[in-house]
Amino acid sequence: MSNTLRYGTAIVVVIFAIVIFNLVRRNKLSMKYALVWLGTAFAMLVAVLIPNFLDFMASLLGFELVSNMLFLIGMLVLMCISLSLTMIVSKQSNMIRLLTQEVSMLKSKEKGESNHD
């Protein structure tokens, strides 16, 4: 990897981290999810700034090509994100159902009280 590409990628990663910090500061992103993205940014920064790090990791893990390792890591990260989002959607769906039931019970209770007047 050329130095120009290495430094350009490092700058993009730092800008990405700054965007994450601003999203947290403006309460657009919770700290729990920001830590995942900041951890990813840190890993990318380490991989870019340390020469031959990815080559070393690929050979250590038994991959012939760095691109194969990065592809597998990318797929695993996307699967984890999908699982996490599915869990969040399921939890919120259950909470919405319970809230709807509670509102329905309150409305029926109000109707019952207004009919007795």
Side-chain angles (χ1 to χ4, degrees):
M1 179 183 290
S2 71
N3 284 338
T4 306
L5 181 59
R6 178 176 286 128
Y7 296 137
T9 305
I11 290 170
V12 168
V13 170
V14 169
I15 291 170
F16 178 73
I18 291 170
V19 167
I20 296 299
F21 280 120
N22 282 332
L23 288 172
V24 170
R25 187 177 54 82
R26 293 188 326 225
N27 290 326
K28 301 275 184 188
L29 182 64
S30 75
M31 184 57 77
K32 178 171 64 171
Y33 301 115
L35 290 175
V36 172
W37 290 113
L38 290 173
T40 303
F42 178 75
M44 288 172 55
L45 198 59
V46 167
V48 166
L49 293 181
I50 299 175
N52 300 323
F53 177 75
L54 292 176
D55 292 325
F56 172 73
M57 290 303 297
S59 65
L60 184 71
L61 296 173
F63 289 95
E64 289 185 28
L65 298 173
V66 174
S67 59
N68 290 344
M69 180 187 71
L70 292 176
F71 184 72
L72 178 65
I73 290 171
M75 282 182 40
L76 292 175
V77 166
L78 289 175
M79 287 175 56
C80 289
I81 290 171
S82 295
L83 178 62
S84 173
L85 291 174
T86 302
M87 289 170 38
I88 291 168
V89 167
S90 295
K91 182 179 177 182
Q92 288 181 345
S93 176
N94 288 336
M95 291 171 65
I96 289 170
R97 183 179 43 77
L98 288 173
L99 182 62
T100 304
Q101 290 172 350
E102 289 175 3
V103 168
S104 175
M105 288 173 27
L106 287 173
K107 282 185 178 180
S108 70
K109 192 182 267 189
E110 279 181 7
K111 284 183 181 180
E113 290 175 1
S114 65
N115 287 341
H116 291 302
D117 292 342

